[in-house]
Amino acid sequence: MKKAFSMMEIVFVLVIMGVLAAVILPTTKTDPLHEAATQLASHIRYTQHLAMSDDRYDKNRKDDDGNIIWYKERWQLVFSESKYTDDKYAYTIFSDTAGNSTGDASESEIAINPQNADQIMTGGYGDPQAIDIRDDGFRGMATLNIGKKYGITDVKLKGGCSQNRISFDHLGRPFTGKQSSMDTPYNSGGTQRLVTKDEGCKIILSHTSGDITVRITKETGFVCILKEGTDICQ
């Protein structure tokens, strides 16, 4: 005759399962805020790599008025939130090479995804189908729309950075503001655009669970995620 489990044995098994669940589940729980920061830090490094390996210096590159504008074509990462991003925060990596370098990304200017040549590195930016995340013809990367993918509710640039973008020169040093508004390779209206503040450039991502900061140091352009409430890299 087959012997059934006793109530004590069943209770014991349930206790063991509860202990295992308590140990395993915390290690498998995802942290969308940290995942977004890790991805962004990686893509900032890639933008920096493009700037260093694809130096845009060209003394013969001029606008319609004959002004040298090669420095306006430096690689940059720009954040946006519009109907083209489905009203969520997203970012785009591009080199402003079209026309007189307006500061806005077009399909032909956006970096190619190194892991998939059919994709371009934008989470949504403008009107053409290829860069409108709402369109079936979207050629971008859904993961770069960090609002939709990770629930990021706000992006702020602080420290030595301002506006909504970061760019790099051929040495990998970070710049603040639009390259398209600059008068010379390092200045705009006599104001230095190279990040020189000791705290570097800070990009703060907000989520319902809190905030996290990605920092780019001045001069070296070193990228890291800061420990919460500190200026120390994780």
mmCIF file of all heavy atoms in Angstrom, residues 111-148:
data_model
loop_
_atom_site.group_PDB
_atom_site.id
_atom_site.type_symbol
_atom_site.label_atom_id
_atom_site.label_comp_id
_atom_site.label_asym_id
_atom_site.label_seq_id
_atom_site.Cartn_x
_atom_site.Cartn_y
_atom_site.Cartn_z
ATOM 1 N N ALA A 111 24.362 57.123 -36.290
ATOM 2 C CA ALA A 111 25.296 55.996 -36.224
ATOM 3 C C ALA A 111 24.580 54.675 -36.506
ATOM 4 O O ALA A 111 23.415 54.488 -36.133
ATOM 5 C CB ALA A 111 25.953 55.943 -34.847
ATOM 6 N N ILE A 112 25.281 53.762 -37.156
ATOM 7 C CA ILE A 112 24.768 52.424 -37.423
ATOM 8 C C ILE A 112 24.991 51.557 -36.186
ATOM 9 O O ILE A 112 26.044 51.616 -35.557
ATOM 10 C CB ILE A 112 25.484 51.787 -38.633
ATOM 11 C CG1 ILE A 112 25.306 52.665 -39.884
ATOM 12 C CG2 ILE A 112 24.968 50.373 -38.888
ATOM 13 C CD1 ILE A 112 23.887 52.790 -40.364
ATOM 14 N N ASN A 113 24.015 50.763 -35.841
ATOM 15 C CA ASN A 113 24.163 49.826 -34.729
ATOM 16 C C ASN A 113 25.263 48.827 -35.089
ATOM 17 O O ASN A 113 25.128 48.086 -36.069
ATOM 18 C CB ASN A 113 22.831 49.088 -34.498
ATOM 19 C CG ASN A 113 22.918 48.066 -33.372
ATOM 20 O OD1 ASN A 113 23.940 47.922 -32.714
ATOM 21 N ND2 ASN A 113 21.831 47.350 -33.173
ATOM 22 N N PRO A 114 26.378 48.789 -34.337
ATOM 23 C CA PRO A 114 27.482 47.885 -34.689
ATOM 24 C C PRO A 114 27.111 46.408 -34.597
ATOM 25 O O PRO A 114 27.809 45.561 -35.152
ATOM 26 C CB PRO A 114 28.575 48.254 -33.671
ATOM 27 C CG PRO A 114 27.832 48.853 -32.520
ATOM 28 C CD PRO A 114 26.669 49.580 -33.129
ATOM 29 N N GLN A 115 25.989 46.094 -33.937
ATOM 30 C CA GLN A 115 25.557 44.705 -33.803
ATOM 31 C C GLN A 115 24.479 44.326 -34.823
ATOM 32 O O GLN A 115 24.121 43.160 -34.937
ATOM 33 C CB GLN A 115 25.036 44.455 -32.384
ATOM 34 C CG GLN A 115 26.118 44.632 -31.323
ATOM 35 C CD GLN A 115 25.586 44.397 -29.926
ATOM 36 O OE1 GLN A 115 24.506 44.866 -29.566
ATOM 37 N NE2 GLN A 115 26.336 43.661 -29.135
ATOM 38 N N ASN A 116 23.963 45.342 -35.533
ATOM 39 C CA ASN A 116 22.936 45.077 -36.542
ATOM 40 C C ASN A 116 22.962 46.215 -37.556
ATOM 41 O O ASN A 116 22.446 47.297 -37.288
ATOM 42 C CB ASN A 116 21.553 44.968 -35.889
ATOM 43 C CG ASN A 116 20.453 44.640 -36.891
ATOM 44 O OD1 ASN A 116 20.664 44.656 -38.099
ATOM 45 N ND2 ASN A 116 19.261 44.339 -36.387
ATOM 46 N N ALA A 117 23.542 45.972 -38.708
ATOM 47 C CA ALA A 117 23.730 47.023 -39.710
ATOM 48 C C ALA A 117 22.426 47.557 -40.283
ATOM 49 O O ALA A 117 22.421 48.592 -40.946
ATOM 50 C CB ALA A 117 24.614 46.494 -40.851
ATOM 51 N N ASP A 118 21.316 46.876 -40.017
ATOM 52 C CA ASP A 118 20.026 47.343 -40.520
ATOM 53 C C ASP A 118 19.390 48.370 -39.587
ATOM 54 O O ASP A 118 18.360 48.958 -39.929
ATOM 55 C CB ASP A 118 19.055 46.162 -40.689
ATOM 56 C CG ASP A 118 19.487 45.208 -41.795
ATOM 57 O OD1 ASP A 118 20.089 45.695 -42.778
ATOM 58 O OD2 ASP A 118 19.233 44.002 -41.672
ATOM 59 N N GLN A 119 19.990 48.567 -38.414
ATOM 60 C CA GLN A 119 19.435 49.500 -37.440
ATOM 61 C C GLN A 119 20.309 50.731 -37.282
ATOM 62 O O GLN A 119 21.538 50.655 -37.436
ATOM 63 C CB GLN A 119 19.292 48.832 -36.068
ATOM 64 C CG GLN A 119 18.203 47.787 -35.968
ATOM 65 C CD GLN A 119 18.073 47.259 -34.557
ATOM 66 O OE1 GLN A 119 19.058 47.030 -33.860
ATOM 67 N NE2 GLN A 119 16.835 47.051 -34.124
ATOM 68 N N ILE A 120 19.674 51.854 -36.980
ATOM 69 C CA ILE A 120 20.415 53.071 -36.660
ATOM 70 C C ILE A 120 20.165 53.422 -35.196
ATOM 71 O O ILE A 120 19.137 53.058 -34.619
ATOM 72 C CB ILE A 120 20.011 54.238 -37.583
ATOM 73 C CG1 ILE A 120 18.495 54.445 -37.602
ATOM 74 C CG2 ILE A 120 20.540 54.005 -38.992
ATOM 75 C CD1 ILE A 120 18.039 55.599 -38.484
ATOM 76 N N MET A 121 21.117 54.151 -34.604
ATOM 77 C CA MET A 121 21.118 54.335 -33.155
ATOM 78 C C MET A 121 20.298 55.547 -32.715
ATOM 79 O O MET A 121 20.822 56.598 -32.351
ATOM 80 C CB MET A 121 22.555 54.408 -32.647
ATOM 81 C CG MET A 121 23.345 53.152 -32.950
ATOM 82 S SD MET A 121 24.955 53.044 -32.143
ATOM 83 C CE MET A 121 24.461 52.697 -30.450
ATOM 84 N N THR A 122 18.987 55.357 -32.764
ATOM 85 C CA THR A 122 18.057 56.371 -32.276
ATOM 86 C C THR A 122 16.858 55.690 -31.640
ATOM 87 O O THR A 122 16.443 54.607 -32.079
ATOM 88 C CB THR A 122 17.577 57.300 -33.407
ATOM 89 O OG1 THR A 122 16.664 58.269 -32.868
ATOM 90 C CG2 THR A 122 16.891 56.534 -34.522
ATOM 91 N N GLY A 123 16.330 56.333 -30.613
ATOM 92 C CA GLY A 123 15.115 55.842 -29.979
ATOM 93 C C GLY A 123 13.903 56.623 -30.449
ATOM 94 O O GLY A 123 12.830 56.558 -29.851
ATOM 95 N N GLY A 124 14.093 57.357 -31.554
ATOM 96 C CA GLY A 124 13.053 58.231 -32.099
ATOM 97 C C GLY A 124 13.564 59.653 -32.132
ATOM 98 O O GLY A 124 14.151 60.131 -31.168
ATOM 99 N N TYR A 125 13.369 60.351 -33.273
ATOM 100 C CA TYR A 125 13.877 61.723 -33.340
ATOM 101 C C TYR A 125 13.025 62.673 -34.184
ATOM 102 O O TYR A 125 12.691 63.765 -33.752
ATOM 103 C CB TYR A 125 15.317 61.753 -33.858
ATOM 104 C CG TYR A 125 15.978 63.093 -33.617
ATOM 105 C CD1 TYR A 125 16.586 63.360 -32.402
ATOM 106 C CD2 TYR A 125 15.956 64.091 -34.588
ATOM 107 C CE1 TYR A 125 17.165 64.602 -32.150
ATOM 108 C CE2 TYR A 125 16.534 65.330 -34.350
ATOM 109 C CZ TYR A 125 17.138 65.577 -33.138
ATOM 110 O OH TYR A 125 17.693 66.806 -32.890
ATOM 111 N N GLY A 126 12.693 62.283 -35.418
ATOM 112 C CA GLY A 126 12.052 63.243 -36.311
ATOM 113 C C GLY A 126 10.962 62.661 -37.190
ATOM 114 O O GLY A 126 10.467 61.549 -36.975
ATOM 115 N N ASP A 127 10.628 63.399 -38.227
ATOM 116 C CA ASP A 127 9.469 63.118 -39.067
ATOM 117 C C ASP A 127 9.612 61.919 -40.007
ATOM 118 O O ASP A 127 8.644 61.178 -40.176
ATOM 119 C CB ASP A 127 9.116 64.371 -39.869
ATOM 120 C CG ASP A 127 7.849 64.190 -40.672
ATOM 121 O OD1 ASP A 127 6.832 63.805 -40.063
ATOM 122 O OD2 ASP A 127 7.864 64.417 -41.887
ATOM 123 N N PRO A 128 10.768 61.702 -40.645
ATOM 124 C CA PRO A 128 10.854 60.560 -41.567
ATOM 125 C C PRO A 128 10.481 59.253 -40.863
ATOM 126 O O PRO A 128 10.738 59.086 -39.667
ATOM 127 C CB PRO A 128 12.324 60.561 -41.992
ATOM 128 C CG PRO A 128 12.767 61.978 -41.794
ATOM 129 C CD PRO A 128 12.038 62.458 -40.587
ATOM 130 N N GLN A 129 9.892 58.328 -41.594
ATOM 131 C CA GLN A 129 9.455 57.061 -41.020
ATOM 132 C C GLN A 129 10.563 56.351 -40.254
ATOM 133 O O GLN A 129 10.329 55.795 -39.180
ATOM 134 C CB GLN A 129 8.938 56.136 -42.132
ATOM 135 C CG GLN A 129 7.684 56.627 -42.829
ATOM 136 C CD GLN A 129 7.236 55.685 -43.931
ATOM 137 O OE1 GLN A 129 8.001 54.833 -44.389
ATOM 138 N NE2 GLN A 129 6.002 55.837 -44.368
ATOM 139 N N ALA A 130 11.759 56.374 -40.806
ATOM 140 C CA ALA A 130 12.865 55.615 -40.234
ATOM 141 C C ALA A 130 13.259 56.085 -38.832
ATOM 142 O O ALA A 130 13.841 55.309 -38.056
ATOM 143 C CB ALA A 130 14.086 55.687 -41.150
ATOM 144 N N ILE A 131 12.950 57.335 -38.483
ATOM 145 C CA ILE A 131 13.354 57.835 -37.172
ATOM 146 C C ILE A 131 12.153 58.272 -36.320
ATOM 147 O O ILE A 131 12.290 59.017 -35.351
ATOM 148 C CB ILE A 131 14.378 58.988 -37.287
ATOM 149 C CG1 ILE A 131 13.843 60.146 -38.124
ATOM 150 C CG2 ILE A 131 15.684 58.472 -37.881
ATOM 151 C CD1 ILE A 131 14.810 61.328 -38.197
ATOM 152 N N ASP A 132 10.992 57.759 -36.663
ATOM 153 C CA ASP A 132 9.759 58.002 -35.898
ATOM 154 C C ASP A 132 9.358 56.664 -35.272
ATOM 155 O O ASP A 132 8.922 55.757 -35.971
ATOM 156 C CB ASP A 132 8.657 58.522 -36.823
ATOM 157 C CG ASP A 132 7.382 58.886 -36.074
ATOM 158 O OD1 ASP A 132 7.225 58.458 -34.905
ATOM 159 O OD2 ASP A 132 6.535 59.596 -36.658
ATOM 160 N N ILE A 133 9.511 56.551 -33.954
ATOM 161 C CA ILE A 133 9.293 55.252 -33.300
ATOM 162 C C ILE A 133 7.856 54.768 -33.419
ATOM 163 O O ILE A 133 7.576 53.584 -33.265
ATOM 164 C CB ILE A 133 9.718 55.316 -31.808
ATOM 165 C CG1 ILE A 133 9.924 53.905 -31.257
ATOM 166 C CG2 ILE A 133 8.702 56.098 -30.985
ATOM 167 C CD1 ILE A 133 10.584 53.849 -29.907
ATOM 168 N N ARG A 134 6.950 55.647 -33.753
ATOM 169 C CA ARG A 134 5.543 55.257 -33.900
ATOM 170 C C ARG A 134 5.254 54.599 -35.238
ATOM 171 O O ARG A 134 4.202 53.970 -35.412
ATOM 172 C CB ARG A 134 4.642 56.490 -33.744
ATOM 173 C CG ARG A 134 4.823 57.265 -32.460
ATOM 174 C CD ARG A 134 4.142 58.605 -32.565
ATOM 175 N NE ARG A 134 4.665 59.379 -33.706
ATOM 176 C CZ ARG A 134 4.135 60.506 -34.146
ATOM 177 N NH1 ARG A 134 3.075 61.005 -33.541
ATOM 178 N NH2 ARG A 134 4.664 61.140 -35.179
ATOM 179 N N ASP A 135 6.183 54.732 -36.186
ATOM 180 C CA ASP A 135 5.946 54.262 -37.547
ATOM 181 C C ASP A 135 6.455 52.832 -37.745
ATOM 182 O O ASP A 135 7.475 52.437 -37.181
ATOM 183 C CB ASP A 135 6.654 55.196 -38.539
ATOM 184 C CG ASP A 135 6.123 55.032 -39.955
ATOM 185 O OD1 ASP A 135 6.513 54.046 -40.620
ATOM 186 O OD2 ASP A 135 5.319 55.877 -40.370
ATOM 187 N N ASP A 136 5.736 52.062 -38.580
ATOM 188 C CA ASP A 136 6.147 50.681 -38.871
ATOM 189 C C ASP A 136 7.491 50.623 -39.593
ATOM 190 O O ASP A 136 8.160 49.591 -39.583
ATOM 191 C CB ASP A 136 5.078 49.976 -39.713
ATOM 192 C CG ASP A 136 3.788 49.733 -38.941
ATOM 193 O OD1 ASP A 136 3.847 49.720 -37.701
ATOM 194 O OD2 ASP A 136 2.731 49.565 -39.584
ATOM 195 N N GLY A 137 7.879 51.733 -40.239
ATOM 196 C CA GLY A 137 9.142 51.770 -40.961
ATOM 197 C C GLY A 137 10.315 52.211 -40.101
ATOM 198 O O GLY A 137 11.411 52.458 -40.610
ATOM 199 N N PHE A 138 10.120 52.297 -38.799
ATOM 200 C CA PHE A 138 11.176 52.730 -37.875
ATOM 201 C C PHE A 138 12.402 51.832 -37.976
ATOM 202 O O PHE A 138 12.310 50.614 -37.872
ATOM 203 C CB PHE A 138 10.620 52.702 -36.453
ATOM 204 C CG PHE A 138 11.575 53.159 -35.385
ATOM 205 C CD1 PHE A 138 12.080 54.449 -35.393
ATOM 206 C CD2 PHE A 138 11.940 52.307 -34.351
ATOM 207 C CE1 PHE A 138 12.939 54.890 -34.391
ATOM 208 C CE2 PHE A 138 12.798 52.733 -33.351
ATOM 209 C CZ PHE A 138 13.296 54.024 -33.369
ATOM 210 N N ARG A 139 13.579 52.452 -38.201
ATOM 211 C CA ARG A 139 14.841 51.702 -38.320
ATOM 212 C C ARG A 139 15.706 51.824 -37.078
ATOM 213 O O ARG A 139 16.822 51.311 -37.032
ATOM 214 C CB ARG A 139 15.655 52.219 -39.509
ATOM 215 C CG ARG A 139 15.125 51.861 -40.874
ATOM 216 C CD ARG A 139 16.124 52.292 -41.937
ATOM 217 N NE ARG A 139 17.424 51.695 -41.711
ATOM 218 C CZ ARG A 139 18.592 52.323 -41.913
ATOM 219 N NH1 ARG A 139 18.603 53.590 -42.315
ATOM 220 N NH2 ARG A 139 19.734 51.703 -41.695
ATOM 221 N N GLY A 140 15.203 52.509 -36.067
ATOM 222 C CA GLY A 140 15.989 52.740 -34.867
ATOM 223 C C GLY A 140 16.004 51.549 -33.921
ATOM 224 O O GLY A 140 15.617 50.432 -34.280
ATOM 225 N N MET A 141 16.435 51.812 -32.689
ATOM 226 C CA MET A 141 16.557 50.780 -31.664
ATOM 227 C C MET A 141 15.613 51.120 -30.510
ATOM 228 O O MET A 141 15.786 52.141 -29.849
ATOM 229 C CB MET A 141 18.003 50.708 -31.171
ATOM 230 C CG MET A 141 19.005 50.380 -32.257
ATOM 231 S SD MET A 141 20.731 50.654 -31.752
ATOM 232 C CE MET A 141 20.886 49.516 -30.373
ATOM 233 N N ALA A 142 14.644 50.256 -30.281
ATOM 234 C CA ALA A 142 13.647 50.513 -29.242
ATOM 235 C C ALA A 142 14.291 50.683 -27.872
ATOM 236 O O ALA A 142 13.784 51.421 -27.022
ATOM 237 C CB ALA A 142 12.625 49.385 -29.206
ATOM 238 N N THR A 143 15.432 50.045 -27.633
ATOM 239 C CA THR A 143 16.082 50.131 -26.321
ATOM 240 C C THR A 143 16.629 51.531 -26.043
ATOM 241 O O THR A 143 16.837 51.895 -24.887
ATOM 242 C CB THR A 143 17.242 49.122 -26.207
ATOM 243 O OG1 THR A 143 18.151 49.312 -27.302
ATOM 244 C CG2 THR A 143 16.721 47.697 -26.224
ATOM 245 N N LEU A 144 16.855 52.325 -27.091
ATOM 246 C CA LEU A 144 17.349 53.690 -26.889
ATOM 247 C C LEU A 144 16.221 54.635 -26.480
ATOM 248 O O LEU A 144 16.480 55.772 -26.086
ATOM 249 C CB LEU A 144 18.043 54.212 -28.147
ATOM 250 C CG LEU A 144 19.554 53.910 -28.240
ATOM 251 C CD1 LEU A 144 19.806 52.417 -28.293
ATOM 252 C CD2 LEU A 144 20.159 54.592 -29.454
ATOM 253 N N ASN A 145 14.999 54.161 -26.557
ATOM 254 C CA ASN A 145 13.881 54.924 -26.018
ATOM 255 C C ASN A 145 13.748 54.496 -24.560
ATOM 256 O O ASN A 145 12.976 53.611 -24.210
ATOM 257 C CB ASN A 145 12.585 54.634 -26.792
ATOM 258 C CG ASN A 145 11.484 55.615 -26.451
ATOM 259 O OD1 ASN A 145 11.150 55.804 -25.282
ATOM 260 N ND2 ASN A 145 10.928 56.244 -27.472
ATOM 261 N N ILE A 146 14.539 55.132 -23.708
ATOM 262 C CA ILE A 146 14.646 54.695 -22.313
ATOM 263 C C ILE A 146 13.396 55.005 -21.502
ATOM 264 O O ILE A 146 13.213 54.461 -20.410
ATOM 265 C CB ILE A 146 15.895 55.306 -21.639
ATOM 266 C CG1 ILE A 146 15.936 56.826 -21.805
ATOM 267 C CG2 ILE A 146 17.162 54.666 -22.212
ATOM 268 C CD1 ILE A 146 17.112 57.492 -21.111
ATOM 269 N N GLY A 147 12.529 55.862 -22.039
ATOM 270 C CA GLY A 147 11.253 56.100 -21.381
ATOM 271 C C GLY A 147 10.337 54.908 -21.533
ATOM 272 O O GLY A 147 9.727 54.439 -20.564
ATOM 273 N N LYS A 148 10.236 54.377 -22.748
ATOM 274 C CA LYS A 148 9.387 53.225 -23.020
ATOM 275 C C LYS A 148 10.002 51.941 -22.483
ATOM 276 O O LYS A 148 9.313 51.099 -21.915
ATOM 277 C CB LYS A 148 9.144 53.079 -24.530
ATOM 278 C CG LYS A 148 8.273 54.171 -25.128
ATOM 279 C CD LYS A 148 8.212 54.074 -26.645
ATOM 280 C CE LYS A 148 7.431 52.881 -27.113
ATOM 281 N NZ LYS A 148 5.973 53.060 -26.932
#
